[in-house]
Amino acid sequence: METATIDPTICRQCRGLCCQGHPGAWTDPERFAVLFFGGRPLAISRLERELPLLGLHLDDWGGVPVPVPINTETGCIFQGDAGCRFSPAERPCQCLGLIPTIDTLMEGEIHCHMPEEVGSGTTRENWRAYWEKVGQ
């Protein structure tokens, strides 16, 4: 993803505070399909069956099903002691797009910024358009 803003130094020091809050989503349905399903068109019924095997599930974003990592009591299921278990090439678009800030380290609260192109509204609309395109 071209808008990746990963800052390993800040992320390592904050120990994934954003990841502990909640998992990010794949904003680009086509990228998600390529990463997990060989680029084949997705079907909601298939995702409902297969996503749990991948540590993912469909979340309802204002009536739109969006695949996201499973959220546990400690946050994203893919966040471990050594960081994210996804390679940067596989990570959700929102995780890659999140802009880290030193204020997060200083205050212990998330002050990172989510650019609009990977924000929740954009993500929801991208998935809505995708489901309409594939007839879901």
Side-chain angles (χ1 to χ4, degrees):
M1 184 174 158
E2 293 177 25
T3 61
T5 57
I6 297 169
D7 183 328
T9 303
I10 290 178
C11 294
R12 190 176 315 105
Q13 290 178 26
C14 90
R15 302 177 133 326
L17 189 59
C18 56
C19 304
Q20 294 166 26
H22 61 82
W26 287 270
T27 301
D28 180 351
E30 302 289 342
R31 178 173 173 260
F32 179 81
V34 167
L35 286 171
F36 295 99
F37 295 93
R40 294 183 309 275
L42 304 172
I44 293 171
S45 59
R46 179 177 180 206
L47 292 182
E48 288 173 335
R49 285 189 316 272
E50 296 182 22
L51 287 182
L53 303 172
L54 300 171
L56 309 172
H57 74 107
L58 282 177
D59 201 13
D60 184 316
W61 288 31
V64 178
V66 176
V68 295
I70 292 172
N71 194 18
T72 69
E73 55 278 344
T74 58
C76 180
I77 195 171
F78 293 99
Q79 175 68 14
D81 292 337
C84 184
R85 289 184 285 183
F86 280 126
S87 71
E90 299 169 314
R91 286 186 193 156
C93 305
Q94 288 187 327
C95 301
L96 293 173
L98 192 65
I99 300 170
T101 177
I102 195 74
D103 293 339
T104 297
L105 292 177
M106 305 287 286
E107 298 179 24
E109 294 182 19
I110 301 171
H111 291 284
C112 303
H113 306 284
M114 184 72 66
E116 188 176 328
E117 68 262 18
V118 293
S120 297
T122 301
T123 300
R124 182 180 53 251
E125 292 312 308
N126 287 353
W127 281 97
R128 180 188 321 276
Y130 180 83
W131 294 129
E132 288 174 3
K133 180 176 94 175
V134 297
Q136 294 290 307

